[in-house]
Amino acid sequence: MAVEERGSAGGQRLVGAEGDYDDQQLEASLRPGTLDDFVGQKRVRAQLSLVLEASKLRGRTADHVLLSGPPGLGKTTLAMIIAEELEVPLRISSGPAIQHAGDLAAILSSLTHGEVLFLDEIHRMSRPAEEMLYMAMEDFRVDIVVGKGAGATSIPLDLPPFTLVGATTRAGLLPGPLRDRFGFTGHLEFYSVPELELVLRRSAGLLDLTMTPEAFTEVASRSRGTPRIANRLLRRVRDWALVHGVERIDARAAGAALDMYEVDVRGLDRLDRNVLSALVGKFNGGPVGLSTLAIAVGEETETVETVAEPFLVREGLLGRTPRGRIAMAAAWEHLGLEVPDHAAFKDPALRTALATEPVNEDSSSA
């Protein structure tokens, strides 16, 4: 089950990478329409451009495309660009919405020649629908079963050639046979601060905002490497400037706006800091079991593990070991505390085990 990115107050996290309705509305107005306008992901863009150009030169539909990576990096936008570049219609659906083979058959049978079908979160599609998709991707044909039991009849249905664009945040959950049927696979990486500045400059121009170069850097550095978060923070800075009558937003104004929303200089919000503070203050830096840590911050275990931990681990603030979670040196420093001599990350055995997948059970004596 997907875990919504929510803070302890129950509202959506400002630095959560999952999009809400407002994000969708904003993204629709800010989305680039071509690969040339798309910022970042230089390697994927170059490879995808080659795939699309070759298909147009051959006069055939493009190979199926799989886009993987964390949420908020532009998978949906790239799917729209693919359809735009190929000058064909785009059909959008998602894995969770296709729970029966008949659901997929209805979509596939209504496609037109060359149309792009975008399936978001494709790894969450049901197994029967997934098995039907194998034949549709490879042979452009599906078998429709009519009737039940001994009287059931399989009717072959030919499909027009189409291009499937699948998006997933968890490529490891895709079965091999499905992965192998994609002609091109692109993995989207987190953005650097300079790349996010380019995203923000483009968005600010479309939103008619006047900002200094330092203000763009300030917002970009707090955006956790994710364009969706960067645009969301830009909206909050815009609101703050409007209320305070600031016409030209500088770094100080941008910082003050984001400080008010409790997004610190490294992009951590209240939930992230609560996890680090509990780990350092209550458990002396660990190791501590996941469930004990979750209880200490008043959150569900799944929330801590899937919402807070990925970014904290990526930033080198938190480590996961078979014995539990430990605070890294950067965590103490970020909280303004001196790293103690007894810190768990200094234990050679735990340092060796940092790359080991931790157990979820509460194994430490917190």
Side-chain angles (χ1 to χ4, degrees), residues 13 15 221-224 263-269 272 311:
R13 301 177 74 206
V15 292
S221 64
R222 304 191 189 203
S223 299
R224 301 165 78 114
V263 179
D264 68 23
V265 293
R266 292 190 67 163
L268 275 65
D269 67 355
D272 300 318
F311 181 70

Side-chain angles (χ1 to χ4, degrees), residues 78-136:
L78 281 176
M80 293 181 173
I81 288 176
I82 289 172
E84 186 68 25
E85 295 275 358
L86 294 175
E87 299 180 349
V88 296
L90 173 68
R91 186 79 57 91
I92 298 178
S93 189
S94 66
I98 302 175
Q99 292 304 308
H100 305 283
D103 299 333
L104 180 62
I107 295 174
L108 294 174
S109 62
S110 63
L111 294 176
T112 58
H113 188 279
E115 191 168 355
V116 172
L117 171 62
F118 175 56
L119 291 182
D120 197 11
E121 294 299 297
I122 192 172
H123 64 272
R124 295 175 61 189
M125 191 166 47
S126 70
R127 179 56 60 87
E130 181 184 289
E131 292 175 350
M132 174 179 283
L133 190 58
Y134 294 163
M135 184 180 298

Side-chain angles (χ1 to χ4, degrees), residues 207-218:
L207 295 174
D208 199 24
L209 292 178
T210 303
M211 298 175 64
T212 65
E214 295 77 17
F216 288 120
T217 303
E218 185 71 23

Side-chain angles (χ1 to χ4, degrees), residues 230-249:
N231 283 328
R232 187 183 299 155
L233 296 183
L234 183 66
R235 278 180 20 226
R236 298 288 75 80
V237 170
R238 177 195 61 183
D239 294 345
W240 186 93
L242 179 63
V243 171
H244 288 80
V246 177
E247 294 184 357
R248 188 170 186 267
I249 303 170

Side-chain angles (χ1 to χ4, degrees), residues 286-290 319-326 344 347-351 353-354 356-359 361-366:
V288 59
L290 175 62
R320 305 201 302 182
T321 76
R323 289 174 53 190
R325 275 54 175 171
I326 63 174
D347 184 337
L350 284 177
R351 289 183 67 88
L354 276 176
T356 306
E357 184 65 22
V359 293
E361 288 76 21
D362 198 357
S363 57
S364 65
S365 55

Side-chain angles (χ1 to χ4, degrees), residues 47-67:
Q47 295 170 344
L48 191 55
S49 177
L50 187 64
V51 170
L52 299 180
E53 187 64 27
S55 73
K56 287 189 285 187
L57 291 174
R58 294 196 319 268
R60 301 182 60 183
T61 56
D63 287 342
H64 303 302
V65 175
L66 177 64
L67 301 173

